[in-house]
Amino acid sequence: MSFNKNTLLKNKDAIAKGIEDATDLCHGLAVDSGWWNGVDVNAPFVIPTKLCLVHSEITEAMEGARKDLMDDHLPHRKMVEVELADAMIRIMDLAGAMELDLGGAMVEKLIYNQERSDHKLNNRAKSNGKKF
């Protein structure tokens, strides 16, 4: 399958729905596990704390990649893979708590990025182009 703006436009509703379903699942499991008991998402420091937890998963993923480690809890998987999954779970949980349209925003952002000049391969290859 070719991935481009036309593919995104053709499949945007299905892609957004899949992300919405995953967000509902992650947030629902967190709620059922008691992680939101007595927590008001709009209270001071709740969102910053949750964002720091996402960051901690990304940091763990970086260490796993840097040291080429296998995961402690899922030893058949690379640590980077599992920690990136943890980050996605935390992001989707927070998006669910905040009632954000994460799926719609992701699809719109992917489509937007297809049009950005600084995302074009020939512009990135220039001397002052984005390297990463």
Side-chain angles (χ1 to χ4, degrees), residues 3-59:
F3 295 100
N4 55 40
K5 183 178 177 182
N6 291 333
T7 303
L8 288 167
L9 289 171
K10 180 179 174 185
N11 298 294
K12 67 180 185 174
D13 292 338
I15 296 166
K17 176 72 168 114
I19 296 166
E20 178 186 331
D21 289 347
T23 297
D24 290 346
L25 173 67
C26 292
H27 182 59
L29 290 170
V31 168
D32 290 349
S33 297
W35 291 109
W36 289 95
N37 287 354
V39 177
D40 175 4
V41 72
N42 296 308
F45 306 112
V46 171
I47 293 171
T49 298
K50 296 290 187 176
L51 291 172
C52 284
L53 290 170
V54 171
H55 186 278
S56 73
E57 302 297 353
I58 299 297
T59 300

